Amino acid sequence: MRRTPQHTPADTTGVPGLVLLLALFAAACSSVPITGRSQLSLIPASTMLATSVQQYGEFLKSSTVSTDARKVALVRKVGTGIQGAVERYFREKNMSDRLKDYQWEFNLVESEDVNAWCMPGGKVVVYTGILPVTRDEAGLAVVMGHEIAHAIAEHGSERMSQELLTQLGGIGLAAALESEPQKTRDLWMSVYGAGATFGALLPFSRLHESEADRLGLIFMAMAGYNPQEAVTFWQRMAAQKGGQSPPEFLSTHPSDETRIADLQKLLPEARTYYRKPS
Ligand SMILES: [Zn+2]
C-alpha cells in the first residue's frame, strides 16, 4: 500500500502516518478469548494461516523430524488432548468459527535446542532438547498448552503487526512477503520462536506470557492434566537458567519468581476446568 503524500501548509511530518495508524487501529482490533483483552490485528487471519502452512512446511523440510515412535506418539497424544480441550472451550462459548481454518499438526524435531512453539492454525513443533526438562506427559502438556495458548490468543499476529510497523513501515504482510521475502520470513521465524538457526528470537512480552500461562493452564486442566505441574515445570526451567548456555525457550520465555508466584494464583481458576481423562 503506497500513499502519495499531498503536502498542504497545515501538514506536519508524521501526521498522515499517525492518521493512517489510528484508522488501522480502529479497523483492526480483535479480542483475546478468555481474557477479553482487545489487541492490534493488522493482518487478516487468512493471510496468517496461509503463511503459517507455508513456513511450517519449509521448517519441517529443513529439519530432522524425529522417528522415535514412542516420543512422537507422546507429543501427538498430548497435542491432540490440548486440541480437544481448545475445541471444546470454543464450542461451549459459541466461538468455534475462530478455529474453522485450523489445521492442527504436532511434530517432534531432532534438536538440542530446549524449545517448542506453535504457529497460527495449530502448527506445533516440539524439539527433542526440551524433553529432559518436560520429563513426562504432564510436563509436556504444560509446554504445549502454553505454546498453543500463544497461538489461540493470536500473540504472533499481534507481534507481527507491531514488527511490520516498525521494521517495514506498516506495509501489509502480503505485500511484504512479495517485496521482501527473506526479511519477512526471518521476521516470521523470530516472532514464532522458530528462528534459532535463522537469527534472534523475539521475546514475548510480560503481558503475552501471563495471558498464555492463564489460557495454557485452563487448556491443560480441561485435557485432564493437573495444572500444578506448571509450577514444577517452571521451577525446573528456572534451575536451567544458571547453565552455561541458557535454553532457547528462555530467550523468548523468561522464567522468574514472579511468574511462578502468578501461576500459583491462577491454579484455583484452572482447577475449576479440570476434567478427569477418559
Ligand atoms: Zn510463552
Side-chain angles (χ1 to χ4, degrees):
M1 179 170 53
R2 214 168 170 93
R3 287 164 28 114
T4 315
Q6 292 183 353
H7 288 287
T8 65
D11 263 348
T12 51
T13 318
V15 168
L18 183 67
V19 171
L20 175 67
L21 196 62
L22 289 174
L24 282 171
F25 255 85
C29 274
S30 60
S31 74
V32 177
I34 301 179
T35 68
R37 179 177 66 85
S38 78
Q39 62 185 167
L40 177 64
S41 174
L42 299 179
I43 309 161
S46 56
T47 308
M48 291 303 286
L49 291 174
T51 309
S52 189
V53 168
Q54 187 201 341
Q55 302 289 9
Y56 187 78
E58 280 175 21
F59 178 87
L60 289 181
K61 248 187 271 165
S62 65
S63 310
T64 310
V65 177
S66 173
T67 51
D68 183 322
R70 195 184 58 83
K71 289 177 182 167
V72 169
L74 188 67
V75 166
R76 300 247 153 94
K77 182 189 177 197
V78 173
T80 310
I82 303 282
Q83 173 192 347
V86 168
E87 287 173 343
R88 203 163 74 242
Y89 183 90
F90 278 73
R91 206 163 47 235
E92 285 165 5
K93 303 283 173 196
N94 286 319
M95 288 162 68
S96 291
D97 58 317
R98 284 179 76 150
L99 300 174
K100 71 175 176 356
D101 294 320
Y102 268 57
Q103 296 172 38
W104 295 91
E105 210 175 319
F106 312 99
N107 282 292
L108 180 66
V109 161
E110 291 289 344
S111 167
E112 286 175 3
D113 292 336
V114 179
N115 206 5
W117 42 260
C118 177
M119 283 179 184
K123 299 290 195 189
V124 178
V125 160
V126 173
Y127 295 71
T128 48
I130 205 169
L131 297 181
V133 194
T134 55
R135 278 193 194 163
D136 53 22
E137 190 176 331
L140 192 56
V142 174
V143 167
M144 294 181 80
H146 178 95
E147 290 307 315
I148 288 169
H150 274 306
I152 295 296
E154 294 176 13
H155 290 158
S157 170
E158 198 176 354
R159 290 201 297 171
M160 267 318 266
S161 301
Q162 289 158 348
E163 286 301 315
L164 283 169
L165 279 178
T166 47
Q167 290 192 21
L168 300 168
I171 183 172
L173 180 61
L177 279 167
E178 227 166 86
S179 62
E180 308 255 18
Q182 189 57 43
K183 212 167 168 179
T184 320
R185 180 172 177 272
D186 291 349
L187 178 59
W188 179 278
M189 289 305 195
S190 71
V191 159
Y192 287 100
T197 44
F198 305 96
L201 302 176
L202 279 172
F204 285 95
S205 67
R206 166 80 67 185
L207 177 70
H208 284 175
E209 279 308 296
S210 55
E211 223 165 51
D213 278 341
R214 184 172 166 200
L215 271 61
L217 279 185
I218 289 173
F219 296 145
M220 79 178 283
M222 288 180 77
Y225 298 102
N226 183 354
Q228 173 72 38
E229 295 290 336
V231 175
T232 45
F233 167 78
W234 284 107
Q235 283 166 341
R236 285 200 296 274
M237 257 297 162
Q240 295 258 321
K241 220 175 190 171
Q244 281 193 324
S245 54
E248 286 297 341
F249 195 69
L250 284 182
S251 67
T252 47
H253 294 81
S255 74
D256 57 22
E257 286 171 15
T258 313
R259 158 178 244 140
I260 293 165
D262 288 347
L263 278 167
Q264 302 267 20
K265 287 183 215 144
L266 290 169
L267 287 178
E269 180 195 33
R271 285 199 185 103
T272 66
Y273 288 90
Y274 177 76
R275 199 161 103 163
K276 266 207 177 104
S278 45

